[in-house]
Amino acid sequence: MGSRASTLLREEEIEEIKKETGCKLCQNAPLYLSQTSITNPVFNSVFSREDFQRIPELAINPLGDRIINAFFPEGEDQVNFRGFMRTLAHFRPIEDNEKNKNAAPSEPLNSRTNKLLFAFRLYDLDRDDKISRDELLQVLRMMVGVNISDEQLGSIADRTIQEADTNGDNSISFNEFMKVLEKVDVEQKMSIRFLH
Amino acid sequence: MCTRTFWSSPGRTSPAETGLLLVLVLVLLEGSVLHAVAGASSSAADVTNHHAPTNESGHQKKPFPVLDLNYEHVQTPFEISLWVLLASLMKLGFHLIPRVSNIVPESCLLIVVGLLVGGLIRLAGEEVPPVMNAEVFFLCLLPPIILDAGYFLPIRPFMENLGTILMFAVVGTLWNAFFIGGLLFAVCQINPGYPLELHQLELLPCLLFGSIISAVDPVAVLAVFEEIHINELLHILVFGESLLNDAVTVVLYHLFEEYAGAGTVTVLDGFLGIMSFLVVALGGVLVGAIYGLLAAFTSRFTSHMRVIEPLFVFVYSYMAYLSAEMFHLSGIMALIACGAVMKPYVEANISHKSHTTIKYFLKMWSSVSETLIFIFLGVATVDGKHHSWNWVFVTATVILCLVARVMGVVGLTYIINKFRIVKLTTKDQFIIAYGGLRGAIAFSLGFLLDEVHFPKKDMFLTAIITVIFFTVFVQGMTIKPLVELLAVKKKQEAKRSINEEIHTQFLDHLLTGIEDICGHYGHHHWKDKLNRFNKKYVKRCLIAGDRCEEPQLIAFYHKMEMKQAIELVEKGGAKMPAIPSTVSMQNIQPKKAVPQERMLGQLSKGKEEEIRNILRTNLQRTRQRLHSYNRHTLVADPFEDGVILRKKNVMEKKIKEMNNYLTVPAAPPDSPTMCRARLASDPQAYSMKPTADDVPTIHVDLASPQSPDSVNLVDELKKKSEPTSDADEGLVMRAPSQNRSEESDREQQKLMRCLSDPGPNADEDEDEPFLP
């Protein structure tokens, strides 16, 4: 595993992370995160997959593997604290004053679109910007368990795609995904309160 | 209670409308006249009774009374029925006059009707019947409304906003009670140089009055908010508050009532009050939950006796209410808890028809109850002997109520918004404050007050009625235009799609995972834990058969498919949809037929003929198995359904034609013979009889998909076409086998009848999983 050297996060790093993720209390983040099951991130500023897999609740979560994979950028096996916070920043609650701020250079990570994009990427494993029938089937199978027959799941998947698909390509693109979820209060659903 | 505009002509009233108005007036008069008659006939009955003993002793023969009037025998049920009839006719009447019901909410109209009826009775010289009896109200009129609310409570938004709702309910009501009570006392004490009767009013009765008047009333809120179709969040906030503040009201009421005699309240009493509040609230919920689990458990075993399933739901809930009231716990919370706890399990166990029955009965009872409550409020107002008007007191009450509500809501929202993810805006706050309507509960509680301890009871009652009238009329009437004006978000009418369901569950899992990573045990974590516990232990006990293993998603999907199939059949009528493949619940492959209209597209004549033949042959075959008539089994009578009545004219025409072909003339369709013949063949007894010629066969079953009662329209078409004749009409007539097509017509319609479920509200959302 990574070195146990007590490498505290440098001030510049914290500033950068704050700017990127918008987490104001970022310097206190180690305090929050020290409650996690991941070994103390301050001292161990890279995580690997095994760190995540040690969390027992994630093992029984049907989407556990995919969530873990979402933290790691493409192809890499380790993620540092910055990347970790970057992913977590998607779940910050949307604040009102941010809605008015037009001066942000790019859309903040926790905007509705980015939240949905994060979720979309969890479905779309091969990153072709479409949720195909197979990908949907995989997710359904994970959520539903083993007792349901394949045909049933297949018909549910077909029905789902049929409902969402507007351009007839038999898969769900990101725009269709957003449209389907327009009635769901994503800002509230995909937010964790303490990440202010 | 949606307003349907039947007649759009603005100026003229159609003859039907005038006819209905006449009927209403007649009923009103009849009600008042009968009271007078009641008085008269009781005296007449006494006279005849006196005659009877002398007859026996003298053996005198008096002429046998051919027609006799004995009103007393039936008085109580007769009057009750008359009131219920009046209430229902009123409801009908309002929907036929769309102009009025668009401006004025129903509750206002009903109160006005009550005033009229009360006025008429007074004019007739009789005493106004004491209809607004607190017992009648609390034991008979209130429970159906609350049960209806609890059973169909949208659990997800309720739980998500529970903190906010509790804050408003508990802290808000306490604030209101003390603010109003305290300031009223102060107002009564001012002007010491001018001794008024108000000065006799002490602090404790004032506080008691404050606690009675401060509670937002669920009946009034339901009545008004149903019509304005506001967005779900606001609806659940105000409505949830009105339900949960019952616990606070109960405690405060009893507390102040107890100590009003003593005159002082100490700190110890305050502490006991807080303890009492916890006991009342949690105890009520516990009692309700226990009865709910009992009901769920009982429903597990009802698969052989489906007809009494709804009864269990109703009786257990009512018992929960009564048990809670027995211990002075919060009956309303018990009822809500019972309904909410039992619903997911009971829904999984009962048949489709029982589900419909429960839904209809609850809606019917709650609707009638609500109507009666408002009418009785009107009647009780006219009853003059309980009134004592006092300008200062009444105006002070009204103003203080408004002020207290606004201050309470604003203050609490400020605190709550610190903890909420989605903040409450000013518009939301305004609607919440404006929607704080008072209603009949306040009146009944005032009615229950003891005259001895509260010499000012009449003044209280007058003030209560004034506040109720003010909130219901002024706030009720203006809230709709205000909602439009402020452009508050409205309720979204569409049903939940399978996409939303899947993605919402997906997000739930995702968030649970993220919370676990952060080590932050939030909302999702506990919900997930509860769901797991539910799935592992509770569902096994309470759900019959192998439905307990069914995941939420599959259950939701099945329900949706069933609904769609029902809609398809209703739209299609005699023509079955064009999909030649299997249209089964287990295995829908809709392919490219996305819009449902396309499914009913152009059938080739040959295929149409094939389908008709299949139906005719199969349905007539099973008719040969006639069971004995049993009035306890639920079978469908196609002639009773509105869908079928449209076809009745076509049918009757055909029967006339057919009489030319038959040797024995067929009995008219609604003669007892035909009815019995129709009723006797139980649709659920259809089974596959292997036929000589391989004509495909059709299963018709209902209820849950995996039990043998599944709807499973397996339509295995074989390629067998027959010559067609005029395909314009729904059925084809051919000479020799004509006497069978009449019956197959009915069978076909019976098929549709079994599957049709015209619900009161199409978007009534009962598809919620346990903890969505």
Side-chain angles (χ1 to χ4, degrees):
Chain A
M1 284 306 311
S3 69
R4 289 239 163 223
S6 54
T7 45
L8 295 169
L9 290 171
R10 296 188 303 276
E11 278 300 315
E12 310 92 72
E13 270 194 32
I14 293 183
E15 279 306 310
E16 272 187 52
I17 298 179
K18 226 179 16 177
K19 204 166 30 170
E20 198 179 346
T21 63
C23 287
K24 292 194 193 79
L25 303 178
C26 209
Q27 50 257 51
N28 292 332
L31 276 167
Y32 288 127
L33 291 176
S34 60
Q35 297 160 23
T36 75
S37 325
I38 304 180
T39 50
N40 205 333
V42 172
F43 298 97
N44 197 356
S45 55
V46 283
F47 310 132
S48 74
R49 289 213 159 86
E50 285 82 23
D51 288 323
F52 284 93
Q53 279 158 357
R54 266 192 235 131
I55 304 175
E57 289 91 353
L58 268 189
I60 47 177
N61 193 323
L63 301 178
D65 285 330
R66 295 205 180 198
I67 298 178
I68 295 176
N69 280 335
F71 277 92
F72 292 87
E74 206 56 51
E76 292 184 20
D77 267 339
Q78 291 192 328
V79 62
N80 61 6
F81 186 69
R82 185 173 171 160
F84 182 75
M85 284 311 293
R86 205 167 186 286
T87 316
L88 275 190
H90 281 106
F91 294 95
R92 252 184 70 223
I94 297 183
E95 278 154 42
D96 275 329
N97 48 3
E98 280 195 356
K99 286 188 197 149
N100 301 331
K101 214 166 40 171
N102 297 327
S106 60
E107 223 172 314
L109 273 175
N110 65 339
S111 72
R112 187 194 164 98
T113 318
N114 277 331
K115 285 188 203 266
L116 284 176
L117 195 60
F118 184 78
F120 188 77
R121 295 230 172 93
L122 282 182
Y123 275 103
D124 182 24
L125 286 182
D126 55 1
R127 298 293 162 98
D128 61 352
D129 277 335
K130 285 201 297 233
I131 304 178
S132 68
R133 183 177 185 269
D134 286 326
E135 287 166 347
L136 191 57
L137 259 181
Q138 277 178 33
V139 173
L140 280 176
R141 173 59 70 190
M142 287 194 306
M143 289 206 293
V144 146
V146 295
N147 288 335
I148 311 297
S149 68
D150 279 333
E151 298 90 50
Q152 261 194 304
L153 272 190
S155 48
I156 296 181
D158 284 328
R159 172 74 186 249
T160 312
I161 293 187
Q162 197 190 83
E163 263 184 16
D165 198 15
T166 47
N167 58 358
D169 58 355
N170 233 15
S171 59
I172 306 181
S173 72
F174 182 56
N175 286 327
E176 289 159 357
F177 186 71
M178 277 213 296
K179 187 159 191 319
V180 160
L181 285 182
E182 67 187 357
K183 284 193 224 116
V184 174
D185 193 2
V186 175
E187 291 93 336
Q188 186 181 12
K189 266 211 85 57
M190 282 187 72
S191 300
I192 301 189
R193 202 163 290 149
F194 75 102
L195 287 172
H196 266 291
Chain B
M1 276 185 286
C2 52
T3 38
R4 293 184 298 262
T5 50
F6 282 140
W7 285 280
S8 52
S9 55
R12 298 158 284 151
T13 46
S14 67
E17 271 185 33
T18 38
L20 194 65
L21 284 173
L22 276 175
V23 170
L24 294 175
V25 171
L26 276 173
V27 173
L28 284 176
L29 284 175
E30 192 189 357
S32 34
V33 160
L34 269 168
H35 283 288
V37 170
S41 78
S42 50
S43 45
D46 287 333
V47 170
T48 42
N49 278 339
H50 284 310
H51 276 304
T54 53
N55 273 351
E56 282 178 20
S57 57
H59 289 289
Q60 271 179 4
K61 203 173 154 199
K62 68 174 174 68
F64 187 76
V66 177
L67 192 62
D68 205 4
L69 178 68
N70 188 356
Y71 182 62
E72 281 190 343
H73 187 57
V74 295
Q75 180 171 2
T76 317
F78 194 88
E79 289 186 355
I80 294 177
S81 309
L82 206 61
W83 281 115
V84 173
L85 191 61
L86 176 70
S88 319
L89 286 174
M90 284 301 135
K91 266 189 110 66
L92 269 187
F94 296 147
H95 286 292
L96 290 177
I97 314 175
R99 297 161 271 147
V100 182
S101 52
N102 273 337
I103 309 174
V104 185
E106 234 177 63
S107 35
C108 303
L109 290 172
L110 290 169
I111 294 186
V112 168
V113 167
L115 288 172
L116 281 175
V117 173
L120 278 173
I121 297 181
R122 279 286 283 278
L123 279 179
E126 287 295 320
E127 246 198 41
V128 176
V131 281
M132 202 58 173
N133 185 346
E135 264 168 39
V136 166
F137 177 75
F138 279 116
L139 293 182
C140 302
L141 292 177
L142 191 60
I145 302 178
I146 305 294
L147 180 60
D148 179 38
Y151 197 76
F152 293 113
L153 191 70
I155 298 280
R156 157 163 261 163
F158 187 76
M159 285 300 174
E160 281 177 5
N161 294 299
L162 191 61
T164 315
I165 293 177
L166 277 176
M167 273 289 268
F168 277 124
V170 177
V171 180
T173 312
L174 280 174
W175 157 260
N176 273 349
F178 282 105
F179 186 77
I180 295 177
L183 279 190
L184 264 181
F185 181 64
V187 162
C188 289
Q189 294 300 323
I190 60 168
N191 227 342
Y194 183 35
L196 286 173
E197 58 183 39
L198 284 179
H199 288 184
Q200 299 164 2
L201 202 55
E202 297 171 30
L203 180 61
L204 274 177
C206 273
L207 285 176
L208 178 60
F209 178 73
S211 67
I212 294 177
I213 198 93
S214 62
V216 178
D217 187 78
V219 179
V221 164
L222 257 180
V224 169
F225 270 53
E226 278 246 349
E227 300 185 4
I228 60 179
H229 297 302
I230 208 165
N231 68 35
E232 202 179 46
L233 173 68
L234 286 178
H235 187 207
I236 200 71
L237 281 180
V238 181
F239 185 58
E241 177 195 345
S242 68
L243 289 175
L244 294 185
N245 67 16
D246 181 61
V248 182
T249 312
V250 165
V251 170
L252 282 179
Y253 183 80
H254 284 123
L255 188 70
F256 289 133
E257 204 188 19
E258 281 283 320
Y259 295 117
T264 51
V265 177
T266 65
V267 176
L268 178 66
D269 296 326
F271 179 66
L272 284 177
I274 297 178
M275 289 288 299
S276 165
F277 166 70
L278 288 172
V279 167
V280 161
L282 296 175
V285 171
L286 191 67
V287 167
I290 292 177
Y291 274 100
L293 289 174
L294 276 177
F297 190 65
T298 313
S299 73
R300 187 181 167 181
F301 302 107
T302 57
S303 49
H304 298 291
M305 198 58 194
R306 296 266 180 207
V307 264
I308 56 175
E309 273 170 348
L311 190 68
F312 283 120
V313 171
F314 300 139
V315 171
Y316 272 113
S317 315
Y318 196 46
M319 293 273 289
Y321 180 75
L322 294 174
S323 312
E325 287 286 322
M326 194 164 65
F327 292 110
H328 274 194
L329 304 173
S330 167
I332 290 184
M333 292 182 78
L335 211 45
I336 301 280
C338 186
V341 163
M342 105 175 123
K343 186 172 173 197
Y345 308 111
V346 162
E347 297 273 303
N349 282 330
I350 60 178
S351 72
H352 186 69
K353 285 177 187 162
S354 300
H355 169 78
T356 311
T357 309
I358 293 179
K359 188 161 88 168
Y360 265 97
F361 262 90
L362 281 180
K363 295 287 172 204
M364 179 183 83
W365 271 330
S366 72
S367 169
V368 168
S369 264
E370 197 179 297
T371 318
L372 278 176
I373 287 178
F374 283 116
I375 291 186
F376 286 170
L377 258 183
V379 172
T381 312
V382 178
D383 186 9
K385 63 180 186 303
H386 275 299
H387 290 314
S388 139
W389 182 269
N390 185 314
W391 276 103
V392 175
F393 191 75
V394 173
T395 38
T397 311
V398 174
I399 296 176
L400 281 176
C401 276
L402 286 173
V403 169
R405 176 89 184 149
V406 171
M407 283 174 64
V409 168
V410 171
L412 280 177
T413 316
Y414 179 71
I415 302 176
I416 289 173
N417 269 345
K418 296 203 200 286
F419 297 100
R420 277 181 72 90
I421 299 179
V422 176
K423 319 274 182 208
L424 293 174
T425 65
T426 323
K427 261 194 268 183
D428 295 335
Q429 290 175 37
F430 177 73
I431 297 291
I432 295 175
Y434 209 67
L437 305 172
R438 285 22 177 210
I441 292 187
F443 181 74
S444 308
L445 284 176
F447 214 83
L448 280 175
L449 285 177
D450 189 3
E451 280 271 358
V452 173
H453 285 136
F454 302 99
K456 294 281 178 243
K457 175 178 165 180
D458 292 339
M459 197 168 69
F460 286 174
L461 277 179
T462 316
I464 293 176
I465 288 195
T466 315
V467 173
I468 295 178
F469 270 46
F470 182 80
T471 52
V472 171
F473 278 92
V474 174
Q475 288 179 238
M477 273 203 267
T478 53
I479 199 169
K480 194 165 185 177
L482 275 174
V483 162
E484 304 280 333
L485 194 68
L486 291 176
V488 180
K489 263 199 302 187
K490 293 274 195 115
K491 182 159 87 157
Q492 286 147 340
E493 294 291 339
K495 286 183 274 225
R496 217 168 142 86
S497 69
I498 184 107
N499 263 289
E500 279 178 19
E501 181 72 21
I502 293 181
H503 297 315
T504 322
Q505 269 203 19
F506 181 83
L507 289 178
D508 275 338
H509 286 301
L510 171 62
L511 264 288
T512 314
I514 299 282
E515 279 184 3
D516 289 329
I517 292 181
C518 300
H520 168 74
Y521 290 134
H523 186 61
H524 290 98
H525 179 87
W526 295 117
K527 208 159 75 162
D528 192 58
K529 266 213 156 80
L530 189 57
N531 267 331
R532 263 182 229 287
F533 174 72
N534 182 30
K535 202 195 287 200
K536 204 161 160 203
Y537 299 112
V538 184
K539 271 191 180 170
R540 291 242 171 115
C541 297
L542 298 181
I543 298 185
D546 50 359
R547 292 285 307 268
C548 53
E549 301 289 329
E550 203 183 39
Q552 277 175 13
L553 208 52
I554 306 292
F556 179 82
Y557 178 68
H558 277 137
K559 269 209 187 118
M560 211 169 61
E561 290 296 318
M562 173 111 71
K563 272 196 186 146
Q564 193 181 8
I566 290 173
E567 281 167 28
L568 264 174
V569 173
E570 273 193 348
K571 270 195 217 167
K575 300 186 183 190
M576 295 297 279
I579 298 183
S581 58
T582 54
V583 185
S584 86
M585 286 305 113
Q586 319 287 339
N587 214 342
I588 292 245
Q589 276 148 29
K591 302 204 180 94
K592 280 290 182 184
V594 175
Q596 291 176 0
E597 299 76 62
R598 279 208 257 153
M599 285 184 172
L600 308 172
Q602 296 306 315
L603 277 173
S604 69
K605 292 262 164 105
K607 223 160 231 159
E608 220 178 75
E609 254 325 284
E610 256 178 276
I611 294 172
R612 286 199 198 113
N613 266 327
I614 294 159
L615 283 177
R616 201 177 311 132
T617 346
N618 280 287
L619 293 171
Q620 118 207 337
R621 225 168 269 276
T622 52
R623 252 208 112 244
Q624 290 157 12
R625 315 176 58 199
L626 292 181
H627 289 225
S628 58
Y629 178 61
N630 180 354
R631 73 186 161 94
H632 293 293
T633 32
L634 275 182
V635 292
D637 189 352
F639 265 64
E640 289 170 13
D641 196 304
V643 176
I644 310 306
L645 283 176
R646 276 184 253 131
K647 303 203 189 299
K648 196 174 175 183
N649 298 331
V650 178
M651 269 278 300
E652 279 171 353
K653 196 171 62 165
K654 288 200 184 98
I655 290 172
K656 280 202 203 86
E657 279 179 70
M658 229 136 37
N659 278 331
N660 301 332
Y661 296 102
L662 290 176
T663 48
V664 178
D670 37 14
S671 76
T673 353
M674 283 306 171
C675 277
R676 215 172 294 135
R678 265 182 282 126
L679 285 170
S681 21
D682 189 342
Q684 293 193 327
Y686 285 165
S687 68
M688 287 308 97
K689 271 179 71 167
T691 57
D693 45 18
D694 39 352
V695 177
T697 50
I698 294 181
H699 262 304
V700 178
D701 294 313
L702 290 168
S704 50
Q706 284 157 356
S707 71
D709 291 331
S710 308
V711 179
N712 201 341
L713 301 172
V714 175
D715 187 7
E716 296 138 10
L717 277 184
K718 306 283 173 69
K719 299 302 172 211
K720 223 178 129 191
S721 49
E722 298 206 11
T724 65
S725 28
D726 56 319
D728 299 79
E729 313 186 86
L731 281 186
V732 171
M733 310 288 227
R734 271 169 301 142
S737 49
Q738 279 327 294
N739 54 346
R740 290 190 298 196
S741 47
E742 175 196 346
E743 292 149 356
S744 69
D745 231 332
R746 280 199 291 274
E747 297 304 320
Q748 196 176 338
Q749 287 157 6
K750 200 192 306 188
L751 173 68
M752 290 189 288
R753 171 69 185 92
C754 299
L755 296 173
S756 70
D757 175 22
N761 278 332
D763 56 325
E764 190 74 45
D765 193 37
E766 74 264 358
D767 309 328
E768 299 274 314
F770 177 65
L771 274 187

